[in-house]
Amino acid sequence: MKIGSVLSEILAVKQKGKRSHWVLLDPDDFTIEQAAAAARSSQENGVSALLVGGSLLQTNHFDEFVKSLRATVTIPVILFPGDAAQLSRHANALLYLSLISGRNPVNLIGEHVKAAPIIRQYGIEPIATGYMLVESGTVTSVEFMSDTRPLPRAKPGIAAAHALAAQYLGMHMVYLEAGSGAALTVPSELIRAVRSCVDIPVIVGGGIRDKAAAIEKLEAGADIIVTGNLLQKENGLEVMKEIAESVRKYS
Ligand code: 1GP
């Protein structure tokens, strides 16, 4: 896979009016073997990419984890790093996330400076992404770890202005994040407001645990939906398959 090809493929899929389902595998939540099995099953069921990362990494198998996923699947393995320590030469790409909903310079530019030379050495594709944390009922790991305030749920105009700023700053995508395991998902009204003012792909994740929630986010204009935690629930694999199938059929 060439540098630039992951974003090109995302844009090509969007151009065709198709939607995608990505699965997040947090290295803290899976052994290497469990992750490989989940990855295989994700690919078999039509998931388009895997995300790897977390707000606070507490295990030391990150690089081995990414390497194993790359050896297991042909869909892109994309880093979703909580900080500059979560890098691996084995990934295809990384979401170069700027936490634009917050005002913490560390998450806006600090970690990026630390990561940039390593990304270059590793030859992985950075995809500049405006990462927007949305209030979701409880304090999420990303909110706590980033020491930032999420965007208010009931103010779609504020979210839309942030997304537009991301597009004007040249970012390639925006990610509307309720937080992993969120009590409440990103509200559809907020997704609609963002969708109506940007052309770049809109990713939505956090707390999506059933097909209905996934479809609701697609209806509101999400190009890509992300599920993570679901795979650890009873029947999680079945529900993940249902979601993947509905996203694949959605147009
Ligand atoms: C978190 O959006 C992802 O960054 C996935 O969230 O684990 O709640 O599915 P869940």
Side-chain angles (χ1 to χ4, degrees), residues 10-31:
I10 294 168
L11 296 175
V13 169
K14 180 169 169 51
Q15 185 76 28
K16 287 183 206 149
K18 294 205 157 62
R19 316 299 179 94
S20 306
H21 177 194
W22 291 359
V23 163
L24 168 67
L25 297 171
D26 184 331
D28 283 347
D29 297 334
F30 296 90
T31 63

Side-chain angles (χ1 to χ4, degrees), residues 69-162:
L69 293 178
R70 271 304 294 282
T72 306
V73 293
T74 52
I75 53 176
V77 176
I78 305 175
L79 302 179
F80 180 56
D83 59 39
Q86 294 179 32
L87 295 175
S88 166
R89 68 174 73 248
H90 302 294
N92 298 103
L94 93 158
L95 299 189
Y96 204 41
L97 300 168
S98 196
L99 182 46
I100 59 170
S101 53
R103 299 296 180 267
N104 184 345
V106 169
N107 306 110
L108 285 165
I109 183 64
E111 291 297 310
H112 311 68
V113 173
K114 288 190 214 163
I118 315 289
I119 293 169
R120 188 175 188 215
Q121 280 166 37
Y122 284 177
I124 45 185
E125 176 186 345
I127 305 176
T129 304
Y131 190 53
M132 297 163 54
L133 186 57
V134 179
E135 192 192 339
S136 60
T138 52
V139 177
T140 57
S141 302
V142 57
E143 177 181 347
F144 183 80
M145 292 309 298
S146 65
D147 200 13
T148 63
R149 287 163 67 194
L151 296 166
R153 297 178 67 73
K155 303 279 181 193
I158 294 181
H162 280 73

Side-chain angles (χ1 to χ4, degrees), residues 22-24 26 29 51 53-55 80 131 142 175-183 185 203-209 225-233:
W22 291 359
V23 163
L24 168 67
D26 184 331
D29 297 334
L51 292 183
S55 308
F80 180 56
Y131 190 53
V142 57
Y175 191 135
L176 305 178
E177 172 71 280
S180 192
T185 56
I203 308 169
V204 176
I208 299 175
R209 287 181 278 268
I225 62 135
V226 180
T227 60
N229 249 302
L230 176 64
L231 278 179
Q232 290 164 72
K233 310 261 180 234

